Amino acid sequence: MKKIKFKKIIPLVIVSLAVFVQCDKEETTLIEPNVRAVFTSEMNFENKINVNQDIDFGDASAGVVSRTWTFPDNVVNIDKSENNTTSTSKIVKAFFNRPGTYNVNLSQTFKGEVFNKNGSTGSNTADTTIVVRVLPEVNINLTANYLNNDGTLGAALNMVDNAENEVLASKKIRFSYTTTGEPDNFDWTFEGASPDTFDGDAPDVDVTYRSLGTHDLKFIANRQRPLGGDTISIKNLIKVIPSSEPVTLEAVNENKGKIGLEFSRDMDPSSADPNNFTISLENKGVAIPVSISDIDVDPDSPNILLITLNETVYRDDKVNISYRPGFLSTSDQVAADAFTDVEVAFEAASRVNVLEAQDIDQSFEKSNDIFNDWPDLGWGGIWERYTLTNSTMAHEGAKSVKVEYKSNGGMIIKSNGGFEVEDGKSYELGVWIYMESLGNSDPSQFLPDLRFYTDGAGRELGIIFFNSTFPTGKWVYQNIIFTSNFTESATLSLRGFNEFNPESLTFFMDNITLREVQLRP
């Protein structure tokens, strides 16, 4: 038996190895591979670091004869070295003392030809450039201005503690900011205002001050990697004073089974008399007797009057409310105007969007190529006569999707991720649509539509029809209510139909939502 003895044990590396065997020798010589392997301690985080923070550069390559790291001049302090420009060490710890974007170069010479994943490079040298981004400390510059009634910018506020800038109740203030250090999390707290909190990254935030008294402001901007943040906290910034301007009813929404009347400023609950209100409630055309059992302000939003009925309000109910002149007034004693047969809306934002917790790009924000997240199902025929493109014409966020059903065409796409619902529960599937052009459909034929399915055409969840009266030139919310009869994970499919329209139909689509709702038993 012939034995083969290896002179050297080396780590397993997936490369082509040159092996030379001498038939008259008892042993085989294995040539050490020349493989490049370069890393940094922040390579999984785009090599972004804070100013004056260290980052480690490492050379784990095999077969290296010599190496030279080269750093930018007057920017880096190399740990345990008097030379801050070059190093020949395998591992280098470098501190960057100035914000900016910098190249760090590594030049290597190997014992032989260098291998990479594609095989030999044909050279015994290799050069690597690593881009390092050094971020400054996070810093906020905050300003605020009164907003005039016509929406133009008014005088600036004094942004110091105890300034007590006077604001008439129900008037708006615009807060504007700029930052350094690339924060990506923002958290506002507005005492006495609506909204009272906000966590978006809009550079301008308009808030309406409703509650009489003196109020603080807090604004936090931070990032998690590299860690950094700044906080602005101003005591007694705003003083809300009584206003003689009319109070307006801004919204009427279902609110946790009650009716919420949202006014332009805080209301006096003692002025609300149930005898001055009229409520009608029906479900599927059947009238349901109803009466008011209590009226109070929302403890979290004093500008909202909560009306409790002797009946719970469900998502499939139709509810109208009227108020005839009485004593209803704001906390600064301005009387509310009468209103008649205002329909109660159902505020979807107060419920959890099932799709946000799933791997579905329901807001069309993730990809620059929409087909990465919403691929075509490949049906062919009329179902491939469409275009789908990313757009900045957004209802919320930065992006939406632009859809064009071509003449006598259609569309079939599906989500790249799945979602799960609970069997037997009811859900509201919603989408915001901005119709640009309806085309010229034949009303005697099947109308253009947008249909929602699970798993291709597995289950039809509902249909949105695009008839001649569908609103154009503005964002409108469309919804479908269904009761689930499945529990397994499912994809969401969108099928568009335009077969009997000799012209194209074009619209923008944004923010698909799926929320659990309660229907009347």
Side-chain angles (χ1 to χ4, degrees):
M1 178 182 293
K2 187 175 182 179
K3 294 183 179 180
I4 300 177
K5 181 173 65 174
F6 294 94
K7 277 190 171 183
K8 188 172 185 178
I9 300 176
I10 64 170
L12 178 63
V13 181
I14 304 174
V15 294
S16 299
L17 300 179
V19 179
F20 300 93
V21 179
Q22 289 181 299
C23 296
D24 58 345
K25 298 285 187 179
E26 284 290 323
E27 59 187 31
T28 298
T29 302
L30 184 61
I31 303 301
E32 182 180 21
N34 301 299
V35 182
R36 184 170 51 171
V38 182
F39 65 89
T40 77
S41 57
E42 301 298 320
M43 61 192 301
N44 292 330
F45 305 99
E46 300 177 333
N47 292 320
K48 288 197 297 187
I49 62 171
N50 279 317
V51 65
N52 297 320
Q53 178 185 337
D54 66 280
I55 177 172
D56 294 339
F57 299 85
D59 180 8
S61 307
V64 174
V65 174
S66 65
R67 74 180 62 79
T68 301
W69 298 94
T70 303
F71 295 87
D73 291 336
N74 303 318
V75 173
V76 174
N77 292 319
I78 297 177
D79 190 38
K80 300 177 182 179
S81 175
E82 295 182 359
N83 183 350
N84 293 318
T85 304
T86 61
S87 176
T88 59
S89 300
K90 281 188 175 183
I91 298 177
V92 181
K93 181 185 292 292
F95 293 82
F96 283 74
N97 54 35
R98 189 185 305 167
T101 300
Y102 303 103
N103 290 340
V104 176
N105 299 308
L106 173 63
S107 296
Q108 299 163 290
T109 302
F110 292 81
K111 295 177 181 178
E113 292 182 1
V114 183
F115 289 86
N116 58 28
K117 63 181 180 180
N118 298 317
S120 174
T121 63
S123 172
N124 70 334
T125 62
D127 293 316
T128 304
T129 299
I130 299 170
V131 179
V132 179
R133 294 190 60 211
V134 184
L135 301 185
E137 294 181 353
V138 175
N139 183 66
I140 304 170
N141 179 37
L142 180 64
T143 60
N145 291 77
Y146 293 97
L147 273 187
N148 300 320
N149 290 339
D150 61 1
T152 58
L153 211 60
L157 273 64
N158 186 13
M159 304 296 285
V160 298
D161 285 342
N162 302 310
E164 295 191 3
N165 297 277
E166 290 190 350
V167 180
L168 289 173
S170 79
K171 291 299 185 180
K172 295 181 181 292
I173 299 294
R174 173 168 294 173
F175 291 92
S176 304
Y177 72 91
T178 58
T179 62
T180 58
E182 300 183 16
D184 50 20
N185 298 308
F186 303 89
D187 187 7
W188 297 86
T189 301
F190 306 100
E191 287 187 0
S194 176
D196 56 354
T197 61
F198 181 70
D199 61 2
D201 60 355
D204 300 311
V205 182
D206 295 347
V207 298
T208 302
Y209 278 90
R210 308 181 189 279
S211 301
L212 298 181
T214 305
H215 306 293
D216 302 341
L217 170 76
K218 189 174 184 179
F219 179 38
I220 301 171
N222 60 32
R223 48 176 159 76
Q224 295 301 311
R225 191 83 183 207
L227 186 64
D230 190 16
T231 299
I232 290 181
S233 183
I234 307 178
K235 295 292 185 182
N236 302 323
L237 174 67
I238 301 291
K239 183 178 181 180
V240 182
I241 60 177
S243 170
S244 60
E245 294 191 3
V247 60
T248 58
L249 179 66
E250 297 191 342
V252 180
N253 289 305
E254 178 272 339
N255 192 316
K256 300 176 183 177
K258 302 178 182 181
I259 298 175
L261 305 180
E262 182 179 345
F263 290 91
S264 57
R265 54 187 188 269
D266 290 0
M267 302 302 291
D268 177 5
S270 66
S271 68
D273 184 352
N275 294 319
N276 294 124
F277 292 89
T278 303
I279 308 285
S280 67
L281 187 154
E282 65 176 54
N283 186 276
K284 298 179 175 64
V286 178
I288 300 171
V290 64
S291 62
I292 297 175
S293 58
D294 185 50
I295 301 179
D296 205 349
V297 297
D298 186 331
D300 298 321
S301 302
N303 65 305
I304 297 177
L305 275 183
L306 292 179
I307 298 179
T308 304
L309 307 178
N310 65 335
E311 279 280 347
T312 299
V313 178
Y314 293 93
R315 180 63 185 90
D316 54 341
D317 289 337
K318 181 179 179 181
V319 188
N320 286 74
I321 184 168
S322 300
Y323 167 71
R324 63 177 180 270
F327 299 102
L328 183 62
S329 61
T330 65
S331 59
D332 56 347
Q333 303 306 304
V334 176
D337 292 333
F339 53 86
T340 303
D341 286 334
V342 177
E343 185 171 352
V344 176
F346 289 80
E347 181 56 59
S350 63
R351 304 187 299 276
V352 174
N353 181 7
V354 174
L355 300 182
E356 285 186 345
Q358 312 295 330
D359 188 23
I360 293 179
D361 186 16
Q362 50 82 30
S363 61
F364 308 106
E365 299 284 340
K366 292 183 180 179
S367 175
N368 291 323
D369 181 357
I370 193 64
F371 287 107
N372 287 337
D373 296 291
W374 292 89
D376 182 271
L377 275 175
W379 285 12
I382 70 165
W383 310 110
E384 64 182 10
R385 292 186 50 76
Y386 72 96
T387 61
L388 197 68
T389 54
N390 293 96
S391 172
T392 57
M393 174 73 175
H395 174 257
E396 285 184 357
K399 297 179 184 178
S400 68
V401 61
K402 184 177 182 180
V403 183
E404 179 190 3
Y405 302 163
K406 294 185 178 180
S407 61
N408 308 115
M411 174 186 76
I412 182 70
I413 59 175
K414 74 176 187 69
S415 63
N416 220 5
F419 68 96
E420 294 182 0
V421 293
E422 296 185 43
D423 187 28
K425 288 193 172 183
S426 297
Y427 293 85
E428 178 178 354
L429 180 66
V431 61
W432 286 90
I433 290 176
Y434 184 104
M435 181 61 65
E436 185 174 85
S437 172
L438 285 164
N440 187 24
S441 299
D442 184 349
S444 67
Q445 300 284 354
F446 290 109
L447 289 171
D449 63 41
L450 177 63
R451 301 186 182 220
F452 291 81
Y453 295 87
T454 63
D455 300 322
R459 302 176 183 85
E460 183 180 288
L461 302 178
I463 311 172
I464 298 170
F465 289 105
F466 297 137
N467 57 28
S468 60
T469 62
F470 192 93
T472 60
K474 65 178 181 179
W475 285 103
V476 293
Y477 176 73
Q478 300 291 294
N479 71 308
I480 295 162
I481 295 176
F482 67 94
T483 299
S484 171
N485 61 355
F486 61 98
T487 57
E488 70 275 12
S489 179
T491 58
L492 185 64
S493 301
L494 279 62
R495 196 191 82 179
F497 181 79
N498 198 44
E499 184 174 7
F500 299 107
N501 188 347
E503 299 178 7
S504 63
L505 184 148
T506 306
F507 62 94
F508 299 86
M509 183 167 54
D510 202 1
N511 292 31
I512 301 175
T513 56
L514 182 64
R515 307 179 192 273
E516 183 183 343
V517 293
Q518 299 296 319
L519 305 184
R520 184 166 290 277

